[in-house]
Amino acid sequence: MILEINISWVSVLFVSVYGVIIWLLSRYYTNRLLWKIIKQESDGLAFSKSLQDASHVNVLLKKLLQKRSRELKRLQTLEEYRKQYTGNVAHELRTPIFAIQGYIESVIDDESMDKETAMHFLKNARKNTFRLEQIITDLDTINKFESKVLKLQKSEFDMYRLFTDVIESLEFYAKDSNIQFEIHGCAAESHRVFADRDKVEQVLVNLGMNSIKYGNKNGLTKFILNDLAASVSIEVSDNGIGIEKKSLNRIFERFYRADTSRSRSEGGSGLGLSICKHVVEAHNKKLFVFSTVGKGSVFSFQLDKV
Ligand code: ADP
């Protein structure tokens, strides 16, 4: 009888001790695991081994949760942006593709169409293939800048010379609206800069083309150069329609149009200024815009001198 009681007492004790040991061990390993996770996740947060008490763990966990929720928000914004971007690309491509289809189908469907009309339709279709190509080239350029694949080919060149080349290529497009071009600030003196000439030319052509597209009849576009200590400042100013305040910090975004109707009728895709911004930023400089509705706009940036 006594032996039986002793055996059951010992087994109860054994089971209790075993239970306590298991509980302590699991607590120890859970804490270690938790601590390891906190330590791993807390890079960037002030982590210190001496903070191993409950209140500090609490603070650290709160900070981690805040960090995670910020990351989640950033990912949601990126996802939203991705969806918007895909939608924009599809929309921009759809317009010229539908136009091409329409013109070609008209020619095919109307067997009695005279040669002159057919030619006119085909020319319009071809014009839209150019537009399609332009959009794809622009998107490709932006993509290359953003994925840092595009490398600048820097060399020394003269800004005055580049101004005159750019104006020469723009004059044809400015004929209809009779917009004049002037160069200010550098006369024929030499102002040599160290930059990627082709890319800077692309920026000046884009800005100049915009001054025509969003300019008024008989308007004036100025290419202005100011000599600063180690750099030159370049301005392209126009006395065109100007840009509303609410659009000023958005016009460098891909596909953003401040004046939707004029941009579309002029064949704009809303990518030109985005490319300009990328080119200027690749030169470690910033592209600025100042504008007043009804008075005109000024775009400016700097380049390093030789
Ligand atoms: P787009 O192909 O539409 O011209 P951009 O990226 O070059 O695209 O310009 C974005 C928008 O900024 C244009 O749609 C236009 O509304 C506005 N914008 C750009 N340049 C000018 C300017 N010189 N004057 C007025 N508005 C301008």
Side-chain angles (χ1 to χ4, degrees):
M1 180 71 171
I2 288 174
L3 190 71
E4 261 176 35
I5 289 170
N6 270 350
I7 287 173
S8 67
W9 187 84
V10 166
S11 46
V12 167
L13 188 70
F14 177 77
V15 169
S16 313
V17 169
Y18 179 76
V20 168
I21 289 172
I22 293 293
W23 179 74
L24 282 174
L25 275 176
S26 75
R27 220 187 102 126
Y28 172 74
Y29 281 111
T30 313
N31 279 351
R32 256 185 72 141
L33 188 68
L34 192 66
W35 198 241
K36 219 172 164 180
I37 293 171
I38 294 176
K39 196 178 170 189
Q40 240 174 36
E41 292 285 309
S42 63
D43 53 53
L45 298 177
F47 178 87
S48 149
K49 254 205 151 155
S50 66
L51 294 178
Q52 297 194 14
D53 73 59
S55 66
H56 283 106
V57 172
N58 213 2
V59 171
L60 213 48
L61 276 174
K62 254 190 195 156
K63 278 191 183 173
L64 275 180
L65 281 178
Q66 282 166 359
K67 195 178 151 197
R68 284 285 164 267
S69 96
R70 273 199 303 271
E71 268 169 23
L72 192 68
K73 240 189 193 145
R74 195 178 63 85
L75 288 176
Q76 279 168 342
T77 314
L78 276 179
E79 176 59 12
E80 198 51 45
Y81 179 70
R82 191 193 62 77
K83 276 191 206 153
Q84 215 178 48
Y85 177 64
T86 319
N88 281 335
V89 172
H91 180 76
E92 290 306 326
L93 296 181
R94 202 178 292 133
T95 317
I97 287 174
F98 279 178
I100 295 166
Q101 269 177 345
Y103 287 122
I104 292 177
E105 271 165 17
S106 307
V107 176
I108 292 171
D109 292 347
D110 186 357
E111 284 174 9
S112 61
M113 188 182 281
D114 60 278
K115 205 176 164 202
E116 202 181 325
T117 316
M119 206 50 154
H120 176 69
F121 279 14
L122 288 177
K123 275 185 182 161
N124 278 345
R126 187 177 59 180
K127 208 165 123 190
N128 277 281
T129 64
F130 291 151
R131 183 161 151 62
L132 205 55
E133 190 193 2
Q134 186 60 52
I135 295 172
I136 291 166
T137 311
D138 285 353
L139 279 173
D140 190 43
T141 309
I142 293 175
N143 202 29
K144 281 185 180 144
F145 268 118
E146 287 182 353
S147 48
K148 312 245 181 279
V149 179
L150 226 149
K151 297 270 173 281
L152 295 181
Q153 308 284 329
K154 285 190 179 179
S155 63
E156 293 181 21
F157 63 91
D158 187 68
M159 270 316 295
Y160 178 78
R161 194 59 217 275
L162 183 59
F163 276 0
T164 53
D165 286 353
V166 168
I167 290 175
E168 221 176 278
S169 67
L170 290 172
E171 270 165 350
F172 171 78
Y173 301 97
K175 260 188 202 154
D176 281 352
S177 45
N178 191 34
I179 285 176
Q180 303 299 312
F181 295 102
E182 284 178 1
I183 297 179
H184 286 255
C186 60
E189 299 160 31
S190 173
H191 290 271
R192 296 187 72 72
V193 294
F194 185 64
D196 187 321
R197 193 184 195 277
D198 289 348
K199 301 271 179 316
V200 176
E201 181 170 4
Q202 193 179 1
V203 171
L204 294 177
V205 168
N206 279 353
L207 296 178
M209 278 303 281
N210 279 352
S211 78
I212 301 170
K213 286 195 289 187
Y214 309 106
N216 293 320
K217 240 185 160 43
N218 307 319
L220 176 67
T221 297
K222 292 181 192 166
F223 286 82
I224 306 161
L225 196 99
N226 287 306
D227 209 325
L228 308 173
S231 58
V232 291
S233 108
I234 293 146
E235 284 178 16
V236 180
S237 83
D238 64 61
N239 53 0
I241 60 171
I243 303 162
E244 277 184 288
K245 226 178 180 167
K246 69 173 171 43
S247 296
L248 277 181
N249 56 352
R250 298 206 55 198
I251 52 169
F252 299 113
E253 287 174 23
R254 283 177 289 193
F255 300 116
Y256 185 82
R257 293 174 169 105
D259 183 319
T260 326
S261 55
R262 185 139 9 161
S263 166
R264 285 197 192 283
S265 66
E266 295 289 341
S269 61
L271 294 170
L273 285 182
S274 181
I275 293 179
C276 293
K277 181 174 176 270
H278 276 297
V279 171
V280 173
E281 284 179 357
H283 285 85
N284 295 319
K285 300 286 185 256
K286 280 192 102 176
L287 178 59
F288 298 97
V289 57
F290 310 92
S291 188
T292 311
V293 174
K295 290 204 164 153
S297 312
V298 182
F299 289 84
S300 78
F301 61 98
Q302 292 185 13
L303 287 178
D304 289 330
K305 282 204 290 201
V306 172

